[in-house]
């Protein structure tokens, strides 16, 4: 019950339940405290988690490694504790690091963007005589793959096998992705075959990965074959897999196939995502004929996504453009639960669409609101008093032009009252 209430963040109900538990003569044990600290940690209530951690020690209930690592890494994520101090903190608590401890901290380092430090700790772990396990290798292979250090990933894969570990489904998936990104798609398919031969049953994400890899390689027929193979295996595709195939169809202008795929998504009960809509809007922007543009608009309507309502209800700019900015701001607030990359992708597509269709004022207003809401983090940075940096590489052509124009206009407005620049 404590775990269930913790996942629902009902901490008031947890406290009442604990009082009732004690009144009934049932004292909290290590499992109870584990649940409490994990619940508070997930919700970023670190002070409460630390309070529980201290309380359990006062009553003589010693924390285990799992609990200590979870608490320390949670503290690190919130900036309360620096990563290099985690191991000394554990040793002060009388807990020597084991394989699990090292693996958790390595993963935490890698996800925080400190790959070099993660790799150094991995080597230190081996030097200290602490043998990595399959999970540790999977973490390292995945971290290098995410950083596009593909050769390092493949070397770790070979090292893992040399150490006597058999790959599991996670390992196979990562290695297939690495091979695909290196352009070795036939080898990726060979890994899939080996995976089945070793009695690992491929799930939907594995099939989806092959759909995505072949689609990005421009081989729509192979992407379609793997999509059909997934259906034949009795698996239901998810939205990202459908998006991968949709992107492949749109790239080669197979709009009818895109239409049928969208309809099949809806019939399977899959709701088109923000990425689905972004793909269609970008295709509409790049359309070469009015027929293609009309067809893309029809596909955008079929998705039923709120982004389409946002575009259709875009107001005509007022004298100061405030009505457009408010419209954009309300939409982005509604999309707050979407991850930043997805929001940036849509905003990029919207600005590009407005720019290329001559709606420059609307494009500028969308950029200003998106920049204000940190959709493009650090896109414009002040390096010194007279030196600013604008990163146009993460934007489409239309967004880059709009961002540069609005940024320079903003500088000019600030400089003119001071007489720093000539109005022309």
């Amino acid at each position: 019950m404590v775990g269930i209430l913790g996942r629902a963040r009902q901490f008031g109900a947890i406290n009442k339940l604990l009082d009732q538990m004690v009144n009934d003569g049932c004292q909290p044990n290590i499992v109870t405290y584990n649940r409490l600290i994990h619940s508070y940690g997930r919700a970023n209530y670190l002070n409460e988690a630390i309070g529980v951690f201290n309380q359990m020690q006062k009553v003589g209930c010693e924390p285990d490694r799992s609990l200590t690592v979870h608490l320390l890494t949670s503290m690190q994520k919130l900036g309360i504790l620096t990563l290099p101090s985690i191991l000394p903190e554990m040793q002060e608590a009388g807990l020597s690091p084991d394989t699990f401890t090292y693996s958790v901290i390595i993963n935490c380092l890698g996800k925080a963007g400190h790959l070099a430090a993660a790799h150094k700790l991995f080597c230190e772990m081996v030097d200290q005589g602490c043998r990595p396990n399959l999970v540790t290798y999977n973490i390292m292979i995945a971290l290098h793959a995410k950083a596009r250090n593909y050769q390092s990933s493949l070397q770790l894969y070979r090292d893992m096998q040399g150490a006597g570990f058999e790959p599991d489904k996670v390992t196979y998936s990562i290695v297939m992705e690495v091979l695909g990104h290196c352009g070795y798609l036939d080898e990726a398919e060979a890994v899939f075959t080996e995976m089945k031969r070793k009695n690992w049953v491929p799930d939907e994400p594995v099939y989806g990965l092959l759909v995505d890899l072949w689609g990005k390689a421009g081989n729509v027929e192979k992407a379609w074959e793997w999509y059909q193979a997934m259906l034949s295996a009795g698996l239901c595709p998810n939205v990202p897999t459908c998006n991968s195939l949709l992107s492949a169809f749109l790239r080669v202008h197979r709009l009818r196939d895109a239409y049928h795929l969208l309809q099949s998504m809806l019939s399977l009960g899959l709701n088109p995502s923000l990425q689905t809509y972004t793909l269609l809007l970008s295709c509409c922007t790049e359309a070469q004929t009015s027929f293609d543009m009309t067809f893309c608009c029809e596909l955008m309507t079929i998705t039923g996504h709120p982004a389409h309502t946002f575009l259709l209800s875009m107001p005509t700019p007022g004298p100061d453009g405030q009505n457009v900015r408010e419209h954009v701001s309300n939409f982005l607030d509604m999309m707050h639960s979407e991850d930043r990359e997805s929001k940036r992708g849509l905003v990029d597509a919207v600005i590009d669409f407005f720019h290329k269709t001559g709606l420059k004022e609307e494009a500028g207003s969308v950029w200003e609101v998106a920049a204000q809401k940190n959709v493009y983090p650090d896109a414009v940075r002040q390096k010194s008093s007279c030196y600013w940096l604008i990163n146009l590489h993460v934007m489409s052509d239309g967004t880059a032009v709009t961002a540069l124009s609005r940024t320079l206009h903003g500088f000019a407005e600030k400089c003119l009252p001071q007489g720093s620049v000539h109005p022309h």
Side-chain angles (χ1 to χ4, degrees):
M1 285 302 300
V2 169
I4 292 169
L5 291 169
R7 283 191 291 275
R9 302 192 177 193
Q10 300 294 319
F11 297 113
I14 286 178
N15 290 330
K16 289 180 182 178
L17 184 64
L18 289 173
D19 290 340
Q20 181 182 338
M21 178 177 168
V22 173
N23 290 336
D24 289 345
C26 185
Q27 295 301 318
N29 60 14
I30 184 67
V31 177
T32 318
Y33 287 120
N34 244 315
R35 297 281 188 182
L36 272 172
I37 289 176
H38 276 76
S39 298
Y40 280 127
R42 274 196 303 266
N44 288 338
Y45 291 134
L46 260 295
N47 289 332
E48 288 79 356
I50 293 168
V52 174
F53 187 78
N54 293 332
Q55 175 64 25
M56 69 183 289
Q57 292 180 87
K58 284 180 184 177
V59 298
C61 188
E62 288 299 320
D64 58 14
R65 284 188 180 86
S66 168
L67 191 55
T68 306
V69 172
H70 174 80
L71 184 60
L72 293 175
T73 50
S74 295
M75 292 167 70
Q76 179 273 321
K77 287 176 186 177
L78 292 187
I80 299 171
L81 188 69
T82 59
L83 275 162
S85 70
I86 287 180
L87 288 176
E89 288 278 344
M90 286 192 65
Q91 288 162 346
E92 283 181 21
L95 297 170
S96 58
D98 58 2
T99 301
F100 173 80
T101 308
Y102 276 114
S103 299
V104 170
I105 299 174
I106 286 169
N107 192 36
C108 189
L109 275 166
K111 288 188 174 179
H114 307 297
L115 180 58
H119 194 89
K120 181 181 177 182
L121 188 59
F122 175 78
C123 296
E124 177 187 313
M125 169 187 180
V126 176
D127 291 341
Q128 294 291 329
C130 191
R131 189 169 183 253
N133 60 16
L134 180 61
V135 173
T136 319
Y137 276 110
N138 281 345
I139 289 170
M140 287 301 301
I141 294 169
L143 290 176
H144 277 285
K146 187 177 180 182
R148 299 185 180 181
N149 298 332
Y150 299 132
Q151 294 307 317
S152 297
S153 285
L154 294 175
Q155 183 58 52
L156 281 162
Y157 177 58
R158 290 188 285 269
D159 292 344
M160 182 198 79
Q161 291 174 308
F165 290 105
E166 286 287 332
D168 64 2
K169 188 155 58 176
V170 174
T171 322
Y172 282 125
S173 297
I174 300 167
V175 171
M176 286 166 58
E177 184 172 6
V178 168
L179 288 169
H181 286 306
C182 290
Y184 305 137
L185 272 77
D186 291 331
E187 288 82 350
E189 289 190 345
V191 172
F192 177 89
T193 303
E194 179 188 333
M195 177 181 174
K196 291 187 71 174
R197 184 168 55 80
K198 294 291 183 68
N199 296 320
W200 289 102
V201 179
D203 54 11
E204 192 283 332
V206 173
Y207 282 99
L209 173 62
L210 287 163
V211 172
D212 186 59
L213 291 174
W214 281 112
K216 285 177 177 173
N219 194 327
V220 183
E221 294 306 325
K222 288 286 287 186
W224 175 248
E225 284 177 18
W226 279 105
Y227 184 82
Q228 289 298 315
M230 176 179 56
L231 297 178
S232 299
L235 297 169
C236 181
N238 60 18
V239 174
T241 297
C242 291
N243 285 342
S244 294
L245 187 58
L246 177 67
S247 177
F249 283 146
L250 294 176
R251 203 174 291 121
V252 294
H253 305 291
R254 286 172 54 168
L255 299 183
R256 287 289 173 189
D257 288 324
Y259 172 84
H260 293 308
L261 179 62
L262 271 178
Q263 293 291 5
S264 69
M265 283 179 69
L266 297 174
S267 66
L268 290 169
L270 299 173
N271 294 320
S273 65
L274 195 62
Q275 186 188 15
T276 313
Y277 191 82
T278 301
L279 289 169
L280 294 170
L281 179 58
S282 296
C283 183
C284 183
T285 304
E286 299 298 330
Q288 299 296 314
T289 66
S290 58
F291 174 81
D292 285 353
M293 180 175 280
T294 302
F295 200 96
C296 286
C297 287
E298 183 182 344
L299 296 179
M300 290 154 64
T301 304
I302 290 172
T303 65
H305 197 277
H308 196 55
T309 305
F310 158 72
L311 275 182
L312 291 178
S313 58
M314 179 68 69
T316 302
D320 59 357
Q322 183 58 29
N323 59 333
V324 175
R325 288 191 291 273
E326 286 179 0
H327 184 69
V328 176
S329 181
N330 292 335
F331 173 72
L332 289 178
D333 287 343
M334 185 174 67
M335 293 286 107
H336 73 280
S337 60
E338 297 282 351
D339 63 88
R340 181 183 284 161
E341 188 176 347
S342 296
K343 284 190 287 191
R344 186 167 61 241
L346 177 72
V347 169
D348 204 44
V350 169
I351 296 174
D352 207 31
F353 174 76
F354 284 151
H355 176 79
K356 291 184 178 178
T357 51
L359 302 173
K360 305 294 174 64
E361 188 62 34
E362 288 86 342
S365 295
V366 173
W367 159 256
E368 288 176 357
V369 175
Q372 182 184 17
K373 290 186 176 291
N374 207 30
V375 175
Y376 292 88
D378 298 324
V380 181
R381 286 182 293 149
Q382 184 174 6
K383 303 290 285 185
S384 68
S385 60
C386 299
Y387 175 40
W388 290 73
L389 180 70
I390 180 166
N391 182 10
L392 305 177
H393 299 291
V394 295
M395 310 172 193
S396 65
D397 291 346
T399 305
V401 170
T402 302
L404 186 58
S405 172
R406 285 294 170 126
T407 301
L408 292 175
H409 179 71
F411 289 160
E413 285 190 330
K414 290 178 182 177
C415 293
L416 280 172
Q418 304 171 12
S420 302
V421 297
H422 192 279
H424 299 298

